[in-house]
Amino acid sequence: MGKISYMRLKGSQNLRLRLLLSTLSSTPILIEDIRADATWPGLLSHEVSLLRLLEKVSDDCHVEINETGTKLKYKPGIVMGGRNLVHDCGVSRSIGYFLEPLIVLGLFGKKPLTIRLNGITNDSKDPSVDTFKSATLPMLKRFGVPPEGLELKIESRGVPPHGGGEIILSIPIVQDSLKAISWIDEGMVKRIRGISFSTRVSVQFENTMIHAARGILNHLLPDVYIFTDHKAGPQAGKSPGYGITLVAETTSGCFISADTAVSYASGKEDGMDDEENKELSPPEDVGEQITSMLLGEIEQGGVVDSTHQGLLFLLCALCPQDVSKVRVGQLVPHGIEVLRHIRDFLGVKFVIKPDPSTMTVILKCVGCGLKNLSRKIS
């Protein structure tokens, strides 16, 4: 066997993105100095969990971590997909952290993917599972992903600190490659849908959040409907909390989303102890905050919200060698990082052109032509 040449990288930033692009481009990577100077050096538990997940959905994937966890060697394997897989995402990050790389990899697997993920379904850090269900999956269809078999089912809810949520994700495979798109018309908002949830607290919390959100939204358009999802018993996870996800659908078929969740774990990382953190944000404030976040996303313009920029750029870069053209609002730091990593791993460069009349940005690229070579030839 020849010597494997690794792409050398440093630091812990964008680890998820690097692992995803490494797998898609079959580029082995060596990452050094992972939080080398931190109090707790090395990989964090959710990053190790992500590596384990990649091992589950791939064949012949090789992971080597040194004793301190500050150095990682990753040699990607072939994405296999498969049915009846199960993965516990732990409680240091929510299921949303794992979903984005998993969805993209699933498209290029040998077989369609069906996996049960356990952990936190809604928190204030990562996109909620509701956002993935109502905004991310519809976006994939634009790129030619078959709608049959594209599904996300929420079996039970879980919020920090103890989680207890469970979802089942099904991703079909792309038969050959994705489809290049021209997607620059964001349209006008025609309706707003949402879902509020509560676990181990009174259902009244949901009604208050919905009332606060509708109080603002109904001044702007009549077609606003927010569903309630009050869970009880085993389906309510292990911690009390509540939250809301809103999605604005436009006349041109764009889905702009915003979500948040409130639970007793929210302030722990800030060095607050449990006693100080007993008071949660009032549900009325939560409803108003999430509504203003959604209106902010709509005002930015663009065909996706800021959390979906990175995924949009990645899908464009994976398209056939044809021009894809998309419009987004202001470029967010994560979106910019994705563009840089796409250039390094896939050799795809985007032409970025600001549109001063709408304060948006138009990006064009020629895809790298990634084909699903691992699928079963029937």
Side-chain angles (χ1 to χ4, degrees), residues 159-307:
V159 295
H162 302 303
E166 181 171 273
I167 68 152
I168 299 172
L169 174 73
S170 302
I171 298 289
I173 55 170
V174 175
Q175 283 308 319
D176 184 29
S177 61
L178 295 171
K179 193 174 79 185
I181 60 165
S182 176
W183 192 17
I184 51 173
D185 174 20
E186 63 258 62
M188 305 289 281
V189 175
K190 63 176 179 180
R191 61 169 160 248
I192 290 177
R193 293 288 177 265
I195 186 156
S196 69
F197 78 92
S198 57
T199 60
R200 305 197 177 280
V201 294
S202 161
V203 71
Q204 192 52 45
F205 281 57
E206 291 184 58
N207 299 331
T208 311
M209 282 188 295
I210 292 171
H211 186 71
R214 289 189 65 120
I216 301 169
L217 293 170
N218 279 136
H219 289 303
L220 305 170
L221 77 167
D223 193 353
V224 177
Y225 196 87
I226 303 170
F227 298 87
T228 56
D229 183 24
H230 180 68
K231 296 286 192 202
Q235 289 187 310
K238 298 174 182 170
S239 300
Y242 50 90
I244 185 166
T245 299
L246 294 177
V247 179
E249 189 184 340
T250 73
T251 48
S252 62
C254 304
F255 293 88
I256 309 293
S257 67
D259 66 69
T260 190
V262 178
S263 66
Y264 284 105
S266 309
K268 287 252 181 78
E269 303 90 343
D270 308 333
M272 291 166 68
D273 63 11
D274 278 355
E275 292 309 308
E276 287 179 60
N277 200 28
K278 278 285 180 260
E279 285 302 308
L280 300 182
S281 295
E284 191 175 358
D285 291 2
V286 173
E288 287 173 0
Q289 280 165 7
I290 199 63
T291 307
S292 62
M293 272 171 67
L294 180 71
L295 294 175
E297 290 286 0
I298 294 166
E299 189 186 6
Q300 288 269 334
V303 295
V304 294
D305 51 69
S306 49
T307 47

Side-chain angles (χ1 to χ4, degrees), residues 5 13 23 30 38 59 102 115 191 245 258 326 339 368-369:
S5 68
Q13 316 87 325
T23 311
L30 167 65
D59 192 20
L102 192 57
I115 186 165
R191 61 169 160 248
T245 299
V326 291
L339 292 173
C368 71

Side-chain angles (χ1 to χ4, degrees), residues 67-88:
E67 274 182 31
T68 53
T70 53
K71 187 173 171 183
L72 163 70
K73 268 186 179 180
Y74 174 73
K75 179 180 154 290
I78 295 165
V79 181
M80 299 301 286
R83 302 212 172 283
N84 306 321
L85 299 174
V86 180
H87 183 71
D88 186 351

